């Protein structure tokens, strides 16, 4: 862990039980300022509980947690105003209009009434609710209420935003617009901790944490997690005849396996560095007289990455049991 004074969030050995069941098990987490940290994992892995602890809604049962340099249970008023929280569930007033809800939330975060108008408009436009600004929240659909919750969390321009599945059930265009906003806020120096049900959104994060059974089992930049999962870069090789076995002995090639698409003539190699390995592979194949159909890097999806990391974690835990 780095100096706690330089990180927006630092959790060390964080533990929490709910209903007598461990939900977080010695969680280690660090989120740097100005970064988008994506928290991924199966349902029930502890992602929402982590956010509730960071916001001060729950108290930890063990370990330490500091957010913006303070313990969440003892946030000062000034620090609370620097934080935004968008929950999965609707937490605003059903009797207020969309605009009034966002203005009220901005007021709670310390925005004076004379400044709130433009901020409310910008937030509602972002989530495509400006045309519904005069509609009472009780009359909005479930999806619109979720978007309203996000608008209320971001209107005051928080330095630290916690968003629990903010893009759930949104169309791709609106999802893209919201992620553009998140990236813009990060460039301005804001820190964002986001959970999402869309695995492909891992690509938009600066760093990713994979949670499983209450623990953070993998963490790093998107490219780093791909390498962690497979032990290096992946390269697909297709030849006209039988797959040559000697490729496994080349320098920089860590492993070779047949692919299901064409098991007799296609291989997927694990290499230290794909860019350096591909010219060596071509030279070796051509030197052996093989008819090369294709040699290209393969980028696994994050579904593949997360499944592999979780399976590896399960296997290690079973072996140690």
């Amino acid at each position: 862990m780095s100096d706690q004074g330089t990180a927006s969030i630092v959790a060390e050995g964080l533990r929490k039980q709910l209903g007598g069941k461990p939900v977080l098990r010695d969680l280690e987490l660090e989120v740097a300022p100005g970064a988008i940290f994506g928290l991924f994992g199966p349902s029930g892995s502890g992602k929402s509980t982590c956010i509730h602890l960071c916001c001060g809604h729950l108290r930890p049962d063990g370990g330490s947690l500091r957010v913006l340099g303070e313990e969440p249970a003892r946030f000062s008023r000034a620090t609370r105003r620097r934080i935004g929280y968008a929950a999965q569930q609707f937490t605003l007033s059903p009797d207020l209009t969309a605009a009034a809800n966002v203005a009220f939330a901005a007021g709670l975060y310390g925005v004076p009434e004379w400044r709130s108008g433009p901020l409310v408009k910008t937030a509602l436009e972002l989530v495509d609710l400006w045309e519904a600004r005069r509609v009472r929240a009780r009359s909005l659909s479930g999806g619109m209420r979720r978007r309203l919750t996000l608008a209320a969390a971001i209107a005051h321009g928080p330095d630290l935003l916690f968003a629990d599945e903010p893009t759930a059930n949104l169309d791709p265009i609106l999802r893209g617009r919201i992620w553009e906003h998140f990236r813009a806020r990060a460039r301005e120096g804001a820190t964002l901790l986001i959970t999402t049900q869309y695995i492909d959104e891992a690509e938009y994060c600066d760093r990713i944490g994979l949670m499983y059974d209450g623990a953070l089992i993998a963490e790093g930049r998107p490219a780093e997690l791909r390498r962690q999962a497979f032990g290096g870069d992946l390269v697909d090789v297709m030849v006209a005849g039988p797959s040559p076995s000697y490729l496994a002995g080349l320098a920089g090639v860590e492993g070779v396996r047949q692919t299901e698409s064409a098991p007799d003539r296609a291989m997927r190699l694990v290499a230290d560095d794909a860019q350096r390995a591909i010219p060596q592979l071509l030279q070796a194949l051509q030197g052996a007289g093989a008819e090369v159909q294709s040699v290209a890097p393969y980028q696994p999806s994050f579904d593949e990455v997360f499944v592999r990391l979780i399976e590896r974690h399960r296997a290690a835990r079973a072996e140690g049991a």
Side-chain angles (χ1 to χ4, degrees):
M1 290 287 181
S2 65
D3 180 5
Q4 293 190 11
T6 66
S8 295
I9 303 169
V10 178
E12 295 180 325
L14 194 63
R15 301 189 301 277
K16 183 63 184 177
Q17 290 193 358
L18 294 175
K21 177 184 176 182
V23 180
L24 292 182
R25 307 169 187 266
D26 297 317
L27 179 70
E28 302 284 330
L29 176 67
E30 183 173 312
V31 180
I36 299 177
F37 193 100
L39 207 53
F40 293 79
S43 178
S45 59
K47 304 185 300 297
S48 295
T49 300
C50 178
I51 286 180
H52 284 302
L53 287 168
C54 288
C55 291
H57 305 152
L58 298 172
R59 290 177 179 265
D61 295 325
S64 65
L65 175 64
R66 298 191 73 82
V67 176
L68 297 179
E70 298 180 10
E71 293 182 32
R74 296 180 173 84
F75 276 148
S76 64
R77 179 178 297 181
T79 297
R80 286 195 179 279
R81 288 179 171 180
R82 296 176 60 195
I83 295 172
Y85 168 61
Q88 288 188 40
Q89 298 81 20
F90 182 72
T91 57
L92 304 174
S93 170
D95 297 318
L96 294 179
T97 65
N101 263 305
V102 178
F104 180 74
L108 292 178
Y109 286 119
V111 177
E113 186 175 354
W114 61 270
R115 280 192 55 219
S116 66
L119 299 178
V120 170
K121 186 174 188 293
T122 298
L124 288 176
E125 285 179 337
L126 174 68
V127 299
D128 203 17
L129 283 178
W130 179 243
E131 297 302 319
R133 61 189 179 279
R134 296 188 179 90
V135 179
R136 294 185 185 276
R138 68 170 65 256
S139 299
L140 299 175
S141 68
M144 294 171 79
R145 289 186 187 185
R146 181 184 288 269
R147 284 147 51 196
L148 180 59
T149 299
L150 177 60
I154 64 175
H156 65 296
D159 294 328
L160 174 57
L161 175 67
F162 296 97
D164 203 353
E165 298 193 3
T167 59
N169 303 318
L170 299 186
D171 66 79
I173 294 176
L174 188 51
R175 280 174 59 198
R177 186 193 309 166
I178 288 172
W179 274 102
E180 285 177 8
H181 171 79
F182 290 162
R183 296 296 305 174
R185 291 293 295 125
R187 288 192 295 271
E188 293 165 359
T191 307
L192 301 91
L193 179 63
I194 296 171
T195 73
T196 173
Q197 61 179 254
Y198 298 108
I199 303 299
D200 63 300
E201 292 183 345
E203 298 284 5
Y204 306 146
C205 302
D206 296 305
R207 297 190 74 83
I208 304 165
L210 177 59
M211 292 192 67
Y212 182 77
D213 196 24
L216 196 68
I217 65 172
E219 188 271 337
R221 296 184 180 277
E224 292 171 349
L225 255 67
R226 283 196 169 98
R227 291 182 60 84
Q228 284 183 40
F230 293 94
D233 293 336
L234 300 182
V235 180
D236 278 358
V237 177
M238 179 77 77
V239 294
S243 300
S245 59
Y246 56 78
L247 292 180
L250 290 179
V253 175
E254 301 296 324
V256 177
R257 66 182 178 87
Q258 304 301 123
T259 63
E260 296 178 0
S261 59
D264 60 332
R265 55 196 179 88
M267 295 169 293
R268 180 158 294 157
L269 283 63
V270 180
D272 287 338
D273 185 295
Q275 290 185 340
R276 288 203 303 264
I278 287 175
Q280 296 174 7
L281 291 169
L282 284 170
Q283 184 177 6
L285 288 165
Q286 291 167 353
E291 185 179 340
V292 181
Q293 294 183 331
S294 65
V295 177
Y298 175 75
Q299 180 166 282
S301 71
F302 274 100
D303 287 283
E304 296 174 89
V305 170
F306 291 165
V307 166
R308 190 173 182 91
L309 289 170
I310 289 173
E311 287 178 345
R312 182 185 300 168
H313 174 76
R314 285 174 173 169
R317 192 169 61 178
E319 189 174 310

